[in-house]
Amino acid sequence: MDAAPELVSPTVPPGRQLEESEEKALVQRAMMQITEPNRELLILLRYQEMKYEDIAALLGIGLGAVRTRVHRAMNELRDTFMKLRSNESSCNATK
């Protein structure tokens, strides 16, 4: 009887796992630092997986306004993330 072939899942190198874990923690910190309306919008979009149309209906605004707000929220999140990462790098360099 033939043995079933083993399924080998691709493994992520431990160093990369650590980097991904640190980046996720930084994203969470950045999310807590952005303005509340932007944080709520990104939570609806990314974590609640709502569609733009559903967010527009929920907030009582137009679809274009949702797109604009998401763009601005993502910019704020990116800028905050980059500042946090820069601070982390400078702190690690002094250790």
Side-chain angles (χ1 to χ4, degrees):
M1 184 181 211
D2 293 332
E6 286 186 35
L7 295 177
V8 179
S9 62
T11 58
V12 178
R16 183 64 191 143
Q17 286 178 343
L18 179 61
E19 287 175 18
E20 288 177 1
S21 175
E22 290 172 349
E23 284 184 4
K24 286 179 184 178
L26 279 177
V27 168
Q28 289 176 345
R29 285 180 52 204
M31 281 289 287
M32 296 310 296
Q33 291 184 17
I34 65 174
T35 60
E36 187 173 346
N38 284 345
R39 181 172 52 251
E40 289 174 351
L41 184 64
L42 293 178
I43 287 170
L44 291 173
L45 183 68
R46 300 294 181 201
Y47 297 104
Q48 299 294 323
E49 298 180 356
M50 290 182 71
K51 296 179 180 179
Y52 281 46
E53 293 83 3
D54 297 332
I55 294 171
L58 178 71
L59 299 178
I61 59 176
L63 186 57
V66 172
R67 289 186 176 126
T68 299
R69 290 182 187 187
V70 166
H71 179 76
R72 290 177 181 162
M74 291 299 289
N75 283 342
E76 183 184 7
L77 180 62
R78 184 196 64 234
D79 293 345
T80 303
F81 175 84
M82 296 303 284
K83 286 177 188 172
L84 288 171
R85 190 165 72 177
S86 175
N87 290 342
E88 291 270 325
S89 296
S90 62
C91 288
N92 288 338
T94 59
K95 288 184 180 179

Coordinates of all heavy atoms in Angstrom, one line a residue:
M1 N 0.8 -1.2 0.0 CA 0.0 0.0 0.0 C 0.9 1.2 0.0 O 1.8 1.3 0.8 CB -0.9 -0.1 1.2 CG -1.9 1.0 1.3 SD -2.7 0.8 2.9 CE -4.3 1.4 2.5
D2 N 0.6 2.2 -0.9 CA 1.4 3.4 -1.0 C 1.1 4.3 0.1 O -0.1 4.5 0.5 CB 1.2 4.1 -2.3 CG 1.7 3.3 -3.5 OD1 2.7 2.5 -3.3 OD2 1.2 3.4 -4.6
A3 N 2.1 5.0 0.7 CA 1.9 6.0 1.7 C 1.4 7.3 1.0 O 1.8 7.6 -0.1 CB 3.1 6.2 2.5
A4 N 0.5 7.9 1.7 CA 0.0 9.2 1.2 C 1.2 10.2 1.2 O 2.0 10.3 2.1 CB -1.1 9.7 2.0
P5 N 1.3 11.0 0.1 CA 2.4 12.0 0.1 C 2.2 13.0 1.1 O 1.0 13.4 1.4 CB 2.3 12.6 -1.3 CG 0.9 12.3 -1.8 CD 0.4 11.1 -1.1
E6 N 3.2 13.4 1.8 CA 3.2 14.4 2.8 C 3.0 15.8 2.1 O 3.6 16.1 1.2 CB 4.4 14.4 3.7 CG 4.5 13.3 4.6 CD 5.7 13.4 5.5 OE1 6.0 14.5 5.9 OE2 6.3 12.4 5.9
L7 N 2.2 16.6 2.7 CA 2.0 18.0 2.3 C 3.0 18.8 3.0 O 2.9 18.9 4.2 CB 0.6 18.5 2.5 CG -0.5 17.8 1.7 CD1 -1.9 18.3 2.1 CD2 -0.3 17.9 0.2
V8 N 3.9 19.4 2.3 CA 4.9 20.3 2.9 C 4.4 21.7 2.8 O 4.3 22.2 1.7 CB 6.3 20.0 2.3 CG1 7.3 20.9 3.0 CG2 6.7 18.6 2.4
S9 N 4.2 22.4 3.9 CA 3.8 23.8 3.8 C 5.1 24.6 3.8 O 6.1 24.3 4.5 CB 3.0 24.1 5.0 OG 3.7 24.0 6.2
P10 N 5.1 25.6 3.0 CA 6.2 26.5 3.0 C 6.4 27.1 4.4 O 5.5 27.6 5.0 CB 5.9 27.6 1.9 CG 4.4 27.5 1.8 CD 4.0 26.1 2.2
T11 N 7.6 27.1 4.8 CA 7.9 27.7 6.1 C 8.5 29.1 6.0 O 9.3 29.4 5.0 CB 8.8 26.8 7.0 OG1 10.1 26.7 6.2 CG2 8.2 25.5 7.2
V12 N 8.2 29.9 6.9 CA 8.7 31.3 6.9 C 9.9 31.2 7.8 O 9.9 30.7 8.9 CB 7.7 32.3 7.4 CG1 8.3 33.7 7.5 CG2 6.4 32.3 6.6
P13 N 11.1 31.7 7.4 CA 12.3 31.7 8.2 C 12.0 32.5 9.5 O 11.2 33.4 9.6 CB 13.3 32.5 7.4 CG 12.8 32.5 6.0 CD 11.3 32.4 6.1
P14 N 12.6 32.0 10.6 CA 12.3 32.6 11.9 C 12.5 34.1 12.0 O 11.8 34.8 12.6 CB 13.2 31.9 12.9 CG 13.5 30.6 12.2 CD 13.4 30.8 10.7
G15 N 13.6 34.6 11.3 CA 13.9 36.0 11.3 C 12.7 36.8 10.6 O 12.4 37.9 11.1
R16 N 12.2 36.2 9.6 CA 11.1 36.9 8.9 C 9.8 36.9 9.8 O 9.0 37.8 9.8 CB 10.8 36.2 7.5 CG 9.7 36.9 6.7 CD 10.1 38.3 6.3 NE 9.0 39.0 5.8 CZ 8.7 40.3 6.0 NH1 9.4 41.0 6.7 NH2 7.6 40.8 5.5
Q17 N 9.6 35.8 10.5 CA 8.4 35.7 11.4 C 8.5 36.8 12.4 O 7.5 37.4 12.7 CB 8.4 34.3 12.1 CG 7.9 33.2 11.2 CD 8.0 31.9 11.9 OE1 8.6 31.7 12.9 NE2 7.3 30.9 11.3
L18 N 9.7 37.0 13.0 CA 9.9 38.1 14.0 C 9.6 39.4 13.4 O 8.9 40.2 14.0 CB 11.3 38.0 14.5 CG 11.7 39.1 15.6 CD1 10.8 38.9 16.8 CD2 13.1 38.9 16.0
E19 N 10.1 39.7 12.1 CA 9.8 40.9 11.5 C 8.4 41.2 11.3 O 7.8 42.3 11.5 CB 10.6 41.0 10.1 CG 12.1 41.1 10.2 CD 12.7 41.1 8.8 OE1 12.0 41.2 7.8 OE2 13.9 40.8 8.8
E20 N 7.7 40.1 10.8 CA 6.2 40.2 10.6 C 5.5 40.5 11.9 O 4.6 41.3 11.9 CB 5.7 39.0 9.9 CG 6.1 38.8 8.5 CD 5.6 37.5 7.8 OE1 5.0 36.7 8.5 OE2 6.0 37.3 6.6
S21 N 5.9 39.8 12.9 CA 5.3 40.0 14.2 C 5.5 41.5 14.7 O 4.6 42.1 15.2 CB 5.8 39.0 15.2 OG 5.4 39.3 16.5
E22 N 6.7 42.0 14.6 CA 7.0 43.4 15.0 C 6.2 44.4 14.1 O 5.7 45.4 14.7 CB 8.5 43.6 14.8 CG 9.3 42.9 15.9 CD 10.8 43.0 15.7 OE1 11.2 43.5 14.6 OE2 11.6 42.6 16.6
E23 N 6.1 44.1 12.8 CA 5.3 45.0 12.0 C 3.9 45.0 12.3 O 3.2 46.1 12.4 CB 5.5 44.6 10.5 CG 6.9 45.0 9.9 CD 7.0 44.8 8.5 OE1 6.0 44.3 7.8 OE2 8.1 45.0 7.9
K24 N 3.3 43.8 12.7 CA 1.9 43.8 13.1 C 1.7 44.6 14.4 O 0.7 45.3 14.5 CB 1.5 42.3 13.3 CG 1.2 41.6 12.0 CD 0.8 40.2 12.3 CE 0.7 39.4 11.0 NZ 0.4 38.0 11.2
A25 N 2.6 44.5 15.3 CA 2.5 45.2 16.5 C 2.6 46.7 16.3 O 1.9 47.5 16.9 CB 3.6 44.8 17.5
L26 N 3.5 47.1 15.3 CA 3.6 48.6 15.0 C 2.3 49.1 14.3 O 1.9 50.2 14.6 CB 4.8 48.8 14.1 CG 6.1 48.9 14.8 CD1 7.3 49.1 13.7 CD2 6.2 50.1 15.7
V27 N 1.7 48.2 13.5 CA 0.4 48.6 12.8 C -0.6 48.8 13.9 O -1.4 49.8 13.8 CB 0.0 47.6 11.8 CG1 -1.4 47.9 11.3 CG2 0.9 47.6 10.6
Q28 N -0.7 47.9 14.8 CA -1.7 48.1 15.9 C -1.4 49.3 16.7 O -2.4 50.0 17.1 CB -1.6 46.8 16.8 CG -2.2 45.6 16.2 CD -2.1 44.4 17.0 OE1 -1.3 44.3 18.0 NE2 -2.8 43.3 16.7
R29 N -0.2 49.6 17.0 CA 0.1 50.9 17.8 C -0.2 52.1 16.9 O -0.8 53.0 17.5 CB 1.6 50.9 18.1 CG 2.0 50.0 19.3 CD 3.4 50.0 19.7 NE 3.9 51.3 19.9 CZ 5.2 51.7 19.8 NH1 6.1 50.8 19.5 NH2 5.6 52.9 20.0
A30 N 0.1 52.0 15.6 CA -0.3 53.2 14.8 C -1.8 53.3 14.7 O -2.3 54.5 14.7 CB 0.3 52.9 13.4
M31 N -2.5 52.2 14.6 CA -4.0 52.3 14.6 C -4.5 53.0 15.8 O -5.5 53.8 15.7 CB -4.6 50.9 14.5 CG -4.6 50.3 13.1 SD -5.7 51.1 12.0 CE -7.3 50.5 12.6
M32 N -3.9 52.8 17.0 CA -4.4 53.4 18.2 C -4.0 54.9 18.3 O -4.6 55.7 19.0 CB -3.8 52.7 19.4 CG -4.3 51.3 19.5 SD -6.1 51.1 19.4 CE -6.6 52.0 20.9
Q33 N -3.1 55.4 17.4 CA -2.6 56.7 17.5 C -3.3 57.6 16.4 O -3.2 58.9 16.6 CB -1.1 56.8 17.3 CG -0.4 56.2 18.5 CD 1.1 56.4 18.5 OE1 1.7 57.2 17.7 NE2 1.8 55.6 19.3
I34 N -3.9 57.1 15.4 CA -4.5 57.9 14.4 C -5.9 58.4 15.0 O -6.4 57.9 16.0 CB -4.7 57.2 13.1 CG1 -5.7 56.0 13.2 CG2 -3.4 56.7 12.5 CD1 -6.1 55.3 11.9
T35 N -6.4 59.4 14.3 CA -7.7 60.0 14.8 C -8.8 59.0 14.9 O -8.8 58.0 14.1 CB -8.1 61.2 13.9 OG1 -8.3 60.7 12.6 CG2 -7.1 62.3 13.9
E36 N -9.7 59.1 15.8 CA -10.8 58.2 16.0 C -11.6 57.9 14.8 O -11.9 56.8 14.4 CB -11.6 58.6 17.2 CG -12.6 57.5 17.6 CD -13.4 57.8 18.9 OE1 -12.9 58.7 19.6 OE2 -14.4 57.1 19.1
P37 N -12.0 59.0 14.1 CA -12.9 58.7 12.9 C -12.1 57.9 11.8 O -12.7 57.0 11.2 CB -13.2 60.1 12.3 CG -13.0 61.1 13.5 CD -11.9 60.4 14.3
N38 N -10.8 58.2 11.6 CA -10.0 57.4 10.7 C -9.9 55.9 11.2 O -10.0 55.0 10.4 CB -8.7 58.0 10.4 CG -8.8 59.2 9.5 OD1 -9.8 59.5 8.9 ND2 -7.7 60.0 9.5
R39 N -9.6 55.8 12.5 CA -9.5 54.4 13.0 C -10.8 53.6 12.8 O -10.8 52.5 12.4 CB -9.1 54.5 14.5 CG -8.9 53.1 15.1 CD -8.4 53.2 16.6 NE -9.1 54.1 17.4 CZ -8.6 55.3 17.9 NH1 -7.4 55.7 17.5 NH2 -9.4 56.0 18.7
E40 N -11.9 54.3 13.1 CA -13.2 53.6 13.0 C -13.5 53.2 11.5 O -13.9 52.1 11.2 CB -14.3 54.5 13.5 CG -14.3 54.6 15.0 CD -15.3 55.6 15.5 OE1 -16.0 56.3 14.7 OE2 -15.5 55.6 16.8
L41 N -13.1 54.1 10.6 CA -13.3 53.8 9.2 C -12.5 52.6 8.7 O -13.0 51.7 8.1 CB -12.9 55.1 8.4 CG -13.2 55.0 6.9 CD1 -14.7 54.8 6.6 CD2 -12.7 56.2 6.2
L42 N -11.2 52.6 9.2 CA -10.3 51.5 8.8 C -10.7 50.2 9.4 O -10.6 49.1 8.8 CB -8.9 51.8 9.1 CG -8.3 53.0 8.3 CD1 -6.8 53.2 8.7 CD2 -8.3 52.7 6.8
I43 N -11.3 50.2 10.6 CA -11.8 49.0 11.3 C -13.0 48.5 10.5 O -13.0 47.3 10.2 CB -12.2 49.3 12.7 CG1 -10.9 49.5 13.6 CG2 -13.0 48.2 13.3 CD1 -11.1 50.0 15.0
L44 N -13.9 49.3 10.1 CA -15.0 48.9 9.3 C -14.5 48.3 8.0 O -15.0 47.2 7.6 CB -15.9 50.1 8.9 CG -16.7 50.7 10.1 CD1 -17.5 51.9 9.6 CD2 -17.7 49.7 10.7
L45 N -13.6 48.9 7.3 CA -13.1 48.4 6.0 C -12.3 47.2 6.1 O -12.5 46.2 5.4 CB -12.3 49.5 5.4 CG -11.8 49.3 4.0 CD1 -12.9 49.2 3.0 CD2 -10.8 50.4 3.5
R46 N -11.3 47.2 7.0 CA -10.3 46.1 7.0 C -10.7 44.9 7.9 O -10.4 43.8 7.6 CB -8.9 46.6 7.4 CG -8.4 47.6 6.4 CD -8.1 47.0 5.1 NE -7.5 48.0 4.2 CZ -7.6 48.0 2.9 NH1 -8.1 47.0 2.3 NH2 -7.1 49.0 2.2
Y47 N -11.2 45.2 9.1 CA -11.4 44.2 10.1 C -12.9 43.7 10.0 O -13.1 42.5 10.2 CB -11.1 44.7 11.5 CG -9.6 45.0 11.6 CD1 -9.2 46.3 11.6 CD2 -8.7 44.0 11.7 CE1 -7.8 46.6 11.7 CE2 -7.3 44.3 11.8 CZ -6.9 45.6 11.8 OH -5.6 45.9 11.9
Q48 N -13.8 44.6 9.8 CA -15.2 44.2 9.6 C -15.5 43.7 8.2 O -16.6 43.2 7.9 CB -16.2 45.3 10.0 CG -16.0 45.7 11.5 CD -16.4 44.6 12.4 OE1 -17.4 43.9 12.2 NE2 -15.7 44.5 13.5
E49 N -14.5 44.0 7.3 CA -14.6 43.7 5.9 C -15.9 44.2 5.2 O -16.5 43.5 4.4 CB -14.5 42.1 5.7 CG -13.2 41.6 6.2 CD -13.0 40.1 6.0 OE1 -14.0 39.4 5.6 OE2 -11.9 39.6 6.3
M50 N -16.2 45.4 5.6 CA -17.4 46.1 4.9 C -17.0 46.6 3.6 O -15.9 47.1 3.4 CB -18.0 47.2 5.8 CG -18.6 46.7 7.1 SD -19.3 48.0 8.1 CE -20.7 48.5 7.1
K51 N -17.9 46.6 2.7 CA -17.7 47.2 1.4 C -17.9 48.8 1.5 O -18.6 49.2 2.3 CB -18.7 46.7 0.3 CG -18.4 45.2 0.1 CD -19.4 44.6 -0.9 CE -19.2 43.1 -1.1 NZ -20.1 42.5 -2.0
Y52 N -17.3 49.5 0.5 CA -17.4 50.9 0.5 C -18.8 51.4 0.5 O -19.2 52.3 1.2 CB -16.7 51.5 -0.7 CG -15.2 51.6 -0.6 CD1 -14.4 50.5 -0.1 CD2 -14.5 52.7 -1.0 CE1 -13.0 50.6 0.0 CE2 -13.1 52.8 -0.9 CZ -12.4 51.8 -0.4 OH -11.0 51.8 -0.3
E53 N -19.7 50.7 -0.3 CA -21.1 51.0 -0.4 C -21.8 50.9 1.0 O -22.6 51.7 1.3 CB -21.8 50.1 -1.4 CG -21.3 50.4 -2.9 CD -20.0 49.6 -3.2 OE1 -19.5 48.8 -2.4 OE2 -19.5 49.8 -4.3
D54 N -21.4 49.8 1.7 CA -22.1 49.6 3.0 C -21.6 50.6 4.0 O -22.4 51.1 4.9 CB -21.7 48.2 3.5 CG -22.3 47.1 2.6 OD1 -23.3 47.3 1.9 OD2 -21.7 46.0 2.5
I55 N -20.4 51.0 3.9 CA -19.9 52.0 4.8 C -20.5 53.4 4.5 O -20.9 54.1 5.5 CB -18.3 52.2 4.7 CG1 -17.6 50.9 5.2 CG2 -17.8 53.4 5.5 CD1 -16.1 50.8 4.9
A56 N -20.7 53.7 3.3 CA -21.4 54.9 2.9 C -22.8 54.9 3.4 O -23.3 55.9 4.0 CB -21.4 55.0 1.3
A57 N -23.5 53.8 3.3 CA -24.9 53.7 3.9 C -24.9 53.9 5.4 O -25.7 54.6 5.9 CB -25.5 52.4 3.4
L58 N -24.0 53.2 6.0 CA -23.9 53.3 7.5 C -23.6 54.7 8.0 O -24.2 55.1 9.0 CB -22.8 52.3 8.0 CG -22.6 52.3 9.5 CD1 -23.7 51.6 10.2 CD2 -21.3 51.6 9.8
L59 N -22.7 55.4 7.3 CA -22.3 56.7 7.8 C -23.2 57.8 7.2 O -23.1 59.0 7.6 CB -20.9 57.0 7.4 CG -19.8 56.0 8.0 CD1 -18.4 56.4 7.5 CD2 -19.9 56.1 9.5
G60 N -24.0 57.4 6.2 CA -24.9 58.4 5.6 C -24.2 59.4 4.7 O -24.6 60.6 4.7
I61 N -23.2 58.9 4.1 CA -22.4 59.8 3.2 C -22.3 59.1 1.8 O -22.6 58.0 1.6 CB -21.0 60.1 3.7 CG1 -20.2 58.8 4.0 CG2 -21.1 60.9 5.1 CD1 -18.8 59.0 4.4
G62 N -21.8 59.9 0.8 CA -21.7 59.4 -0.5 C -20.5 58.4 -0.7 O -19.5 58.5 0.1
L63 N -20.5 57.7 -1.7 CA -19.4 56.7 -2.0 C -18.1 57.4 -2.2 O -17.1 57.0 -1.8 CB -19.8 55.9 -3.2 CG -18.9 54.7 -3.6 CD1 -18.7 53.8 -2.4 CD2 -19.4 54.0 -4.8
G64 N -18.1 58.6 -2.9 CA -16.9 59.3 -3.2 C -16.3 59.8 -1.9 O -15.1 59.9 -1.7
A65 N -17.2 60.2 -0.9 CA -16.7 60.7 0.4 C -16.0 59.5 1.1 O -15.0 59.7 1.8 CB -17.8 61.3 1.2
V66 N -16.6 58.3 1.0 CA -15.9 57.2 1.7 C -14.6 56.9 1.1 O -13.6 56.7 1.8 CB -16.8 55.9 1.5 CG1 -16.1 54.7 2.0 CG2 -18.1 56.1 2.3
R67 N -14.5 57.0 -0.2 CA -13.2 56.7 -0.9 C -12.1 57.8 -0.5 O -11.0 57.5 -0.2 CB -13.4 56.8 -2.4 CG -14.1 55.6 -2.9 CD -14.1 55.5 -4.5 NE -14.7 54.3 -4.9 CZ -15.7 54.3 -5.8 NH1 -16.2 55.4 -6.3 NH2 -16.2 53.1 -6.2
T68 N -12.6 59.0 -0.4 CA -11.7 60.1 0.0 C -11.2 59.9 1.5 O -10.0 60.0 1.8 CB -12.4 61.5 -0.1 OG1 -12.7 61.7 -1.5 CG2 -11.5 62.6 0.4
R69 N -12.2 59.6 2.3 CA -11.8 59.4 3.7 C -10.9 58.2 3.9 O -10.0 58.2 4.8 CB -13.1 59.2 4.6 CG -13.9 60.5 4.7 CD -15.1 60.3 5.5 NE -16.0 61.5 5.5 CZ -17.0 61.7 6.3 NH1 -17.4 60.7 7.1 NH2 -17.7 62.8 6.2
V70 N -11.2 57.1 3.2 CA -10.3 55.9 3.3 C -8.9 56.3 2.9 O -7.9 55.9 3.5 CB -10.9 54.7 2.5 CG1 -9.8 53.7 2.3 CG2 -12.1 54.2 3.1
H71 N -8.8 57.0 1.8 CA -7.5 57.5 1.3 C -6.7 58.3 2.4 O -5.6 58.0 2.6 CB -7.6 58.3 0.0 CG -6.3 58.8 -0.6 ND1 -5.5 57.9 -1.2 CD2 -5.8 60.0 -0.6 CE1 -4.4 58.6 -1.6 NE2 -4.6 59.9 -1.2
R72 N -7.4 59.2 2.9 CA -6.8 60.0 4.0 C -6.5 59.2 5.2 O -5.4 59.4 5.8 CB -7.7 61.2 4.3 CG -7.9 62.2 3.2 CD -8.9 63.3 3.6 NE -9.0 64.2 2.4 CZ -10.0 65.1 2.3 NH1 -11.0 65.1 3.2 NH2 -10.0 65.9 1.2
A73 N -7.3 58.3 5.6 CA -7.1 57.5 6.8 C -5.9 56.6 6.5 O -5.0 56.4 7.4 CB -8.3 56.6 7.1
M74 N -5.7 56.0 5.3 CA -4.6 55.2 5.0 C -3.3 56.0 5.0 O -2.3 55.5 5.5 CB -4.8 54.5 3.7 CG -5.9 53.4 3.7 SD -5.5 52.1 4.8 CE -4.2 51.2 4.0
N75 N -3.4 57.2 4.5 CA -2.2 58.1 4.6 C -1.8 58.4 6.0 O -0.6 58.4 6.3 CB -2.5 59.4 3.8 CG -2.4 59.3 2.3 OD1 -1.9 58.3 1.8 ND2 -3.0 60.2 1.6
E76 N -2.8 58.7 6.9 CA -2.5 59.0 8.3 C -1.9 57.7 8.9 O -0.9 57.8 9.7 CB -3.7 59.4 9.0 CG -3.4 59.8 10.5 CD -4.6 60.1 11.3 OE1 -5.7 60.0 10.9 OE2 -4.3 60.6 12.5
L77 N -2.4 56.6 8.7 CA -1.9 55.3 9.2 C -0.5 55.1 8.7 O 0.4 54.7 9.5 CB -2.8 54.1 8.9 CG -2.4 52.8 9.4 CD1 -2.4 52.8 10.9 CD2 -3.3 51.7 8.9
R78 N -0.2 55.2 7.5 CA 1.1 55.0 6.9 C 2.1 56.0 7.5 O 3.2 55.5 8.0 CB 1.1 55.2 5.4 CG 2.5 54.9 4.8 CD 2.6 55.5 3.4 NE 2.6 56.9 3.4 CZ 1.7 57.7 2.7 NH1 0.9 57.1 1.8 NH2 1.7 59.0 2.8
D79 N 1.8 57.2 7.6 CA 2.7 58.2 8.2 C 3.0 57.9 9.7 O 4.1 58.0 10.1 CB 2.1 59.6 8.1 CG 2.0 60.1 6.7 OD1 2.7 59.5 5.8 OD2 1.3 61.1 6.4
T80 N 1.9 57.5 10.4 CA 2.1 57.2 11.8 C 3.0 55.9 12.0 O 3.9 55.9 12.8 CB 0.7 57.0 12.5 OG1 0.0 58.2 12.3 CG2 0.9 56.7 14.0
F81 N 2.7 54.9 11.1 CA 3.5 53.7 11.1 C 5.0 54.0 10.9 O 5.9 53.5 11.6 CB 2.9 52.7 10.1 CG 3.8 51.5 10.0 CD1 3.6 50.4 10.8 CD2 4.7 51.4 8.9 CE1 4.3 49.3 10.7 CE2 5.5 50.2 8.8 CZ 5.3 49.2 9.7
M82 N 5.2 54.8 9.9 CA 6.6 55.1 9.5 C 7.3 55.9 10.6 O 8.5 55.6 10.9 CB 6.6 56.0 8.2 CG 6.1 55.2 7.0 SD 7.0 53.7 6.6 CE 8.4 54.3 5.9
K83 N 6.6 56.8 11.3 CA 7.2 57.5 12.4 C 7.6 56.5 13.6 O 8.7 56.5 14.1 CB 6.3 58.6 13.0 CG 6.2 59.8 12.1 CD 5.2 60.8 12.6 CE 5.0 61.9 11.6 NZ 3.9 62.8 12.0
L84 N 6.6 55.6 13.8 CA 6.9 54.6 14.9 C 8.1 53.7 14.5 O 8.9 53.4 15.4 CB 5.6 53.7 15.1 CG 4.5 54.4 15.8 CD1 3.2 53.5 15.8 CD2 4.9 54.8 17.3
R85 N 8.1 53.3 13.3 CA 9.2 52.4 12.8 C 10.5 53.1 12.9 O 11.5 52.5 13.3 CB 8.9 51.9 11.4 CG 9.9 50.8 11.0 CD 9.5 50.0 9.8 NE 9.6 50.8 8.6 CZ 9.3 50.4 7.4 NH1 8.9 49.2 7.2 NH2 9.5 51.2 6.4
S86 N 10.5 54.4 12.5 CA 11.7 55.2 12.6 C 12.2 55.3 14.0 O 13.4 55.2 14.3 CB 11.5 56.6 12.0 OG 12.6 57.4 12.1
N87 N 11.3 55.6 14.9 CA 11.6 55.7 16.4 C 12.1 54.3 16.9 O 13.1 54.3 17.7 CB 10.4 56.1 17.2 CG 10.0 57.5 16.9 OD1 10.8 58.3 16.4 ND2 8.8 57.9 17.3
E88 N 11.5 53.2 16.4 CA 12.0 51.9 16.9 C 13.4 51.7 16.4 O 14.3 51.2 17.1 CB 11.1 50.8 16.3 CG 9.7 50.8 16.9 CD 9.6 49.9 18.1 OE1 10.3 48.9 18.2 OE2 8.9 50.2 19.1
S89 N 13.7 52.0 15.1 CA 15.0 51.8 14.5 C 16.1 52.7 15.3 O 17.2 52.2 15.6 CB 15.0 52.2 13.1 OG 14.2 51.4 12.3
S90 N 15.7 53.9 15.6 CA 16.7 54.7 16.3 C 16.9 54.2 17.7 O 18.0 54.3 18.3 CB 16.3 56.2 16.3 OG 15.1 56.4 17.0
C91 N 15.9 53.7 18.4 CA 16.0 53.1 19.7 C 16.9 51.9 19.7 O 17.7 51.7 20.6 CB 14.7 52.8 20.3 SG 13.7 54.3 20.8
N92 N 16.7 51.1 18.7 CA 17.5 49.8 18.6 C 18.9 50.1 18.2 O 19.8 49.4 18.6 CB 16.9 48.9 17.5 CG 15.6 48.3 18.0 OD1 15.3 48.2 19.2 ND2 14.7 47.8 17.1
A93 N 19.2 51.2 17.5 CA 20.5 51.5 17.1 C 21.3 52.0 18.3 O 22.6 51.9 18.3 CB 20.5 52.6 16.0
T94 N 20.7 52.6 19.3 CA 21.4 53.1 20.5 C 21.6 52.0 21.5 O 22.3 52.2 22.5 CB 20.6 54.2 21.1 OG1 19.3 53.8 21.5 CG2 20.5 55.4 20.2
K95 N 21.0 50.8 21.3 CA 21.2 49.7 22.3 C 22.5 49.0 22.1 O 23.1 48.9 21.2 CB 20.1 48.7 22.2 CG 18.8 49.3 22.8 CD 17.7 48.3 22.8 CE 16.4 48.9 23.3 NZ 15.3 47.9 23.3

